[in-house]
Amino acid sequence: MSTIGYYICVPFAWLVRLFYNLTNSYGVALILFTLVIKLIMLPFQMKSKKSMMRMSRVSGQMQELQKRYAKNQAKFQEEMQKLYEEEGVNPMSGCLWSLIPFPILIALYSIIRQPITHFMMLSKDVLQTVVQSAADAGVNLTNIVMMDKATGTPALKDGLYQLASYGQINLVKAVQEMGLSTPEGWFDMNYNFLGLDLTATPWEYVKNFTFTWAVIGVILIPILAGLSQFVFSKLTMKTQPQADAAGGASMKSMMYMMPLMSVYIAFIMPAALGVYWIAQSVFSLIQEAILNKTFSAKLSEEEEARFQARQADRQRRMEEARVQEQQRKQEEQKKKTLREKQQAAQAAKAVKAAKAATSTTEAGRVGDRPYARGRAYKADRYDET
């Protein structure tokens, strides 16, 4: 494992050691370790879960948009973005957190497989010293170090023993069984849990099957790991957004493939890893059930609040439109009244002008004095007498 991977193991190993000291049980320590990791991840998973449930609730609208803008992807993406913003959906929020359990699984596998360097945190030099002490004590190193096929002796590289895949586990068990002296920092471990050896590989027990609880129990661990993973995957699918035919088929295949992968991996690795996998799935099931119930009610309240807000906004806009319409009609009425008044005034003026043109007497028109209208004219008024 790289240096970064080694330092990732440090806090995890500390946690497992802490819980082992408290419980004196390797299996319980792994279960408590799983619980703590779940609690640490809970705030992030809650955010992811809430976003996924929101996406599930708007899946119908998403499919409707997809059909409506099937020939216009740019418009479809624009409308989808608007829908995400209105509903508070982040389609990428669930991607990152769904990948985090894998680095944890890899780190835990290193802690289980390499207990001396990654659980006790002893150096490689100390490891070589312990191997040499075991060899000097007559311990069979066949399952501890890699052997030279030609000579049948331990294979050395630069004068150092090359450990087998699960050599550190076998070395720890050999040291503890024979009561050999141990270096400072050594951590005595009891790998049994409920009468099962958690360092055993279930597939090896399948090949060497005996009808005993110690064998049957270890073989059941990967089966339970796969079964719990399947139940969790099935429950999770119910809250996933509805997909089209191709997407639905892909999700359904994943629902079966992931548990099968869990069974396979748990069969070829130490049973302790299967215990972690079972605990992880069980805690995830409990978390999923609680979050589904909690967020379903909360999201319903949020949807109702958004609906009421939309209704209030719609009512407000309708009221504003009604007021604007009334104002427009009032303005039109005012303009109409003004035009009517202007027309009436013009008509009255025309009538007056017409009346004035016809009201002068014939006497007033005699001579060239049109300004004398209305006066009686006498030609001999000023004759000399």
Side-chain angles (χ1 to χ4, degrees), residues 290-352:
I290 294 174
L291 293 184
N292 280 344
K293 184 176 181 180
T294 302
F295 286 146
S296 291
K298 191 171 183 180
L299 289 176
S300 296
E301 292 175 2
E302 290 181 359
E303 286 181 357
E304 180 63 23
R306 282 196 295 270
F307 174 76
Q308 294 297 336
R310 286 195 296 266
Q311 289 294 98
D313 183 63
R314 181 171 176 268
Q315 189 67 29
R316 178 184 59 78
R317 287 187 281 107
M318 289 175 62
E319 184 65 23
E320 289 178 354
R322 187 183 64 81
V323 171
Q324 290 175 357
E325 182 65 17
Q326 289 180 346
Q327 292 176 347
R328 185 185 65 78
K329 289 182 177 180
Q330 290 175 357
E331 290 294 329
E332 287 182 354
Q333 186 63 34
K334 287 180 180 179
K335 291 178 181 179
K336 182 179 179 180
T337 303
L338 181 61
R339 284 196 302 269
E340 289 175 350
K341 287 181 178 180
Q342 290 174 345
Q343 291 172 358
Q346 289 175 357
K349 187 175 180 182
V351 170
K352 185 177 180 181

Side-chain angles (χ1 to χ4, degrees), residues 23 31 42 51 66 91 93 96 103 118 122 126 139-140 158 174 184 186 214 237 251 277 289 291 293 296 300 312 357:
T23 64
I31 294 171
L42 182 59
S51 184
Q66 192 173 17
S93 64
L96 176 61
H118 289 73
L122 300 178
V126 173
V139 173
N140 184 359
D158 299 328
E184 184 179 355
W186 185 269
M237 275 193 66
M251 290 178 65
W277 219 315
L291 293 184
K293 184 176 181 180
S296 291
S300 296

Side-chain angles (χ1 to χ4, degrees), residues 116-137:
I116 297 176
T117 56
H118 289 73
F119 177 72
M120 304 177 194
M121 295 299 169
L122 300 178
S123 67
K124 291 182 179 180
D125 291 339
V126 173
L127 172 62
Q128 292 293 320
T129 302
V130 175
V131 174
Q132 187 60 54
S133 298
D136 294 341

Side-chain angles (χ1 to χ4, degrees), residues 109-267:
Y109 172 64
S110 297
I111 291 171
I112 295 169
R113 188 175 72 88
Q114 301 167 288
I116 297 176
T117 56
H118 289 73
F119 177 72
M120 304 177 194
M121 295 299 169
L122 300 178
S123 67
K124 291 182 179 180
D125 291 339
V126 173
L127 172 62
Q128 292 293 320
T129 302
V130 175
V131 174
Q132 187 60 54
S133 298
D136 294 341
V139 173
N140 184 359
L141 301 181
T142 303
N143 295 325
I144 297 175
V145 300
M146 298 176 67
M147 307 298 289
D148 189 326
K149 294 181 180 180
T151 62
T153 57
L156 301 177
K157 183 178 180 181
D158 299 328
L160 301 176
Y161 291 103
Q162 303 300 303
L163 270 76
S165 295
Y166 298 111
Q168 290 194 29
I169 293 177
N170 296 325
L171 178 60
V172 170
K173 293 170 72 174
V175 168
Q176 293 179 171
E177 287 171 3
M178 296 191 66
L180 302 180
S181 61
T182 55
E184 184 179 355
W186 185 269
F187 198 89
D188 287 329
M189 293 288 296
N190 180 5
Y191 287 108
N192 288 331
F193 175 59
L194 301 178
L196 308 177
D197 182 6
L198 297 186
T199 64
T201 303
W203 188 245
E204 293 298 322
Y205 277 18
V206 171
K207 292 189 293 185
N208 302 283
F209 182 78
T210 57
F211 203 81
T212 60
W213 166 244
V215 173
I216 294 173
V218 170
I219 293 174
L220 283 175
I221 287 176
I223 296 172
L224 292 175
L227 182 61
S228 59
Q229 178 72 22
F230 174 76
V231 174
F232 172 66
S233 299
K234 195 170 182 62
L235 179 63
T236 303
M237 275 193 66
K238 293 181 179 180
T239 59
Q240 294 292 328
Q242 295 179 4
D244 53 20
S250 176
M251 290 178 65
K252 192 171 183 179
S253 64
M254 288 294 292
M255 183 179 71
Y256 292 101
M257 287 301 297
M258 292 301 293
L260 290 175
M261 287 181 60
S262 301
V263 172
Y264 171 73
I265 293 172
F267 259 116

